[in-house]
Amino acid sequence: MKSDLKILITGAKGFLGRALEEKIKISGYKNVTTFRSDEFDLTKESEVKRLFEEKDPYDVVIHLAAIVKGIKFRRENPAATLYDNLIMNILMQEYARKNKVSKFIGLGSVTAYPEDAEIPYEEKDYLKGEPEETNHSYAIAKRTMLMQGLAYRQ
């Protein structure tokens, strides 16, 4: 029964996360866990581990959390943008795997498409070129999350 599924949503306090959490609850799912970023720092393995240990085992993880902070921040801090988003995505997928989560959904980004991709975008073009420069670090983290997920499915 869907109301029994235990769902974790990261990034649920953001724009998309708030809307998704509301839609999931309206759809009849009762066991939905969310948190604020000051409760669990997803860039630290000990915090991700604590998230999975302190809460009920999850059936589904919907990973929306990201450190975006705007184009100016990403342009001035490409290494921090890459590292923080990579480590967060890697840790969330790895702990979902270790804890036998049956479904992991990681949110991609249109910024990960190549700069010269034709519009409308098509999934087959996702990795066919370099992302736009100001979003490059963030986009690479999103692409890596996809590749990790594909590796875990094998």
Side-chain angles (χ1 to χ4, degrees):
M1 178 176 242
K2 72 180 177 182
S3 62
D4 294 336
L5 278 179
K6 295 175 188 137
I7 301 172
L8 168 65
I9 306 173
T10 69
K13 304 307 176 198
F15 174 72
L16 182 60
R18 285 192 311 266
L20 179 65
E21 178 185 7
E22 182 180 333
K23 182 72 171 170
I24 286 173
K25 287 181 175 177
I26 288 170
S27 297
Y29 295 94
K30 307 288 186 222
N31 238 333
V32 179
T33 299
T34 64
F35 58 91
R36 294 182 321 276
S37 59
D38 64 347
E39 294 176 275
F40 294 96
D41 181 347
L42 301 182
T43 66
K44 298 189 174 14
E45 184 170 7
S46 61
E47 294 286 298
V48 174
K49 182 179 181 185
R50 185 169 65 86
L51 173 63
F52 279 87
E53 287 176 350
E54 286 185 3
K55 305 290 183 179
D56 289 332
Y58 304 112
D59 300 302
V60 177
V61 171
I62 303 173
H63 178 50
L64 307 179
I67 298 172
V68 184
K69 296 186 181 181
I71 291 172
K72 183 177 188 293
F73 178 86
R74 291 192 302 271
R75 184 179 295 134
E76 293 173 357
N77 301 279
T81 299
L82 178 66
Y83 178 84
D84 287 344
N85 284 289
L86 272 175
I87 199 69
M88 184 184 327
N89 296 340
I90 288 168
L91 290 171
M92 285 303 302
Q93 278 196 87
E94 177 63 6
Y95 275 84
R97 183 191 66 79
K98 284 180 175 180
N99 288 277
K100 299 181 179 18
V101 171
S102 61
K103 175 150 311 270
F104 181 93
I105 301 167
L107 182 69
S109 173
V110 69
T111 65
Y113 277 92
E115 182 174 21
D116 59 356
E118 290 186 31
I119 298 174
Y121 296 124
E122 294 186 32
E123 286 182 38
K124 67 180 178 60
D125 297 328
Y126 196 67
L127 301 174
K128 288 186 177 177
E130 291 297 316
E132 191 271 325
E133 183 181 339
T134 57
N135 292 312
H136 195 271
S137 295
Y138 179 72
I140 294 303
K142 289 297 189 178
R143 286 180 173 190
T144 303
M145 181 173 60
L146 170 66
M147 302 315 295
Q148 182 183 5
L150 292 172
Y152 281 11
R153 286 181 61 182
Q154 293 179 355

